[in-house]
Amino acid sequence: MKGVNLSEWALNHRSLVIYFMIIFSVMGALSYTRLGREEDPSFAIKTMVISANWPGSSTREMMDEVTDRIEKKVQETPYIDYIKSYTKPGQTVVYVNLLEKTPPEAIPDIWKRVRNIVGDIKDTLPIGTQGPYFNDDFGDTYGTIYALTADGFNFRELRDTAELARAEFLRVPNVAKVQLLGTQDEKIYLDFSTQRLASLGLRPEQIKAALAEQNAVVPT
């Protein structure tokens, strides 16, 4: 049985082949002009990092008492692909990876569940454990950086202005997060005269003890 010779058929039907070539070329050009495109295309990162510290512990103690407990609890999360961890004396890092088929819209709820279930076992971790800490911000991108400077204003006034600007930026469509860098925490400095304290019969240690007692938070 002789097969179909496409070359021979095309030569015998030149007009039809040319017609289809023109149609496909026009359709391809129209499809190209309608392609979806974004300057910064969004994509979902399906990995979360959980870290914890237990100062003074060995690698084996860290694995048995902290890493293993976190991994077993995280396994209860849906769409889990695999869990990878690195443990060294006093520190552990657990990587939680989701399946590729995980819907992007479901990822925030999954990470929230991870935080909740790991938080449930926080009280069962050894005394002195720091954390667990969670990091799922790998997909965040910063497209614009603004710097604020102001002569004649103190750090507090400059920070208040930055906070107002941040609130306005968050109202802009497609803006998900605004982070302030270089902010100065407010501090109170106490200066006193040693001569005045001596005349009152007070010592600097008494002033420090009074301030510590005033700022102490204790249950009623």
Side-chain angles (χ1 to χ4, degrees):
M1 180 177 179
K2 185 178 179 181
V4 179
N5 191 328
L6 294 179
S7 300
E8 181 181 358
W9 182 89
L11 292 174
N12 295 331
H13 302 81
R14 291 184 179 179
S15 57
L16 183 61
V17 172
I18 294 174
Y19 171 76
F20 280 118
M21 290 177 62
I22 295 175
I23 291 297
F24 291 148
S25 298
V26 172
M27 292 176 62
L30 292 176
S31 299
Y32 180 79
T33 59
R34 299 176 181 177
L35 285 176
R37 54 190 180 273
E38 294 185 38
E39 181 179 357
D40 299 314
S42 58
F43 55 92
I45 303 297
K46 300 179 176 64
T47 301
M48 170 185 271
V49 176
I50 305 174
S51 60
N53 302 321
W54 186 15
S57 63
S58 64
T59 302
R60 174 57 60 182
E61 291 173 337
M62 198 71 190
M63 291 179 60
D64 294 340
E65 302 296 333
V66 180
T67 306
D68 188 59
R69 294 185 182 184
I70 293 177
E71 289 183 344
K72 288 181 178 179
K73 197 64 179 178
V74 171
Q75 290 174 356
E76 302 175 6
T77 308
Y79 293 103
I80 286 293
D81 186 7
Y82 64 94
I83 301 172
K84 181 174 61 175
S85 63
Y86 294 96
T87 304
K88 62 181 183 180
Q91 185 179 14
T92 183
V93 179
V94 180
Y95 293 85
V96 183
N97 298 274
L98 302 180
L99 294 169
E100 289 296 331
K101 66 178 182 179
T102 305
E105 61 275 8
I107 293 179
D109 292 333
I110 295 175
W111 294 151
K112 183 178 179 180
R113 174 172 172 79
V114 171
R115 285 181 167 88
N116 292 338
I117 62 178
V118 174
D120 291 340
I121 65 170
K122 185 175 181 179
D123 294 337
T124 67
L125 299 178
I127 297 176
T129 303
Q130 301 171 357
Y133 307 106
F134 305 90
N135 183 8
D136 61 339
D137 294 335
F138 300 103
D140 293 346
T141 57
Y142 297 92
T144 307
I145 298 178
Y146 295 97
L148 299 180
T149 59
D151 295 331
F153 292 88
N154 56 37
F155 285 119
R156 180 63 193 182
E157 294 171 335
L158 189 58
R159 181 170 182 172
D160 290 342
T161 303
E163 291 286 356
L164 292 175
R166 177 181 180 275
E168 293 297 328
F169 284 138
L170 290 174
R171 297 179 181 178
V172 178
N174 299 324
V175 174
K177 180 183 295 185
V178 179
Q179 184 176 0
L180 300 181
L181 302 177
T183 56
Q184 300 292 324
D185 293 332
E186 192 171 9
K187 298 180 181 180
I188 298 177
Y189 295 92
L190 179 62
D191 297 325
F192 49 85
S193 172
T194 55
Q195 295 179 351
R196 179 62 175 169
L197 289 179
S199 64
L200 295 174
L202 298 175
R203 294 176 300 173
E205 292 76 11
Q206 292 176 297
I207 303 296
K208 295 179 182 178
L211 291 175
E213 183 179 356
Q214 180 67 27
N215 295 329
V217 179
V218 295
T220 58

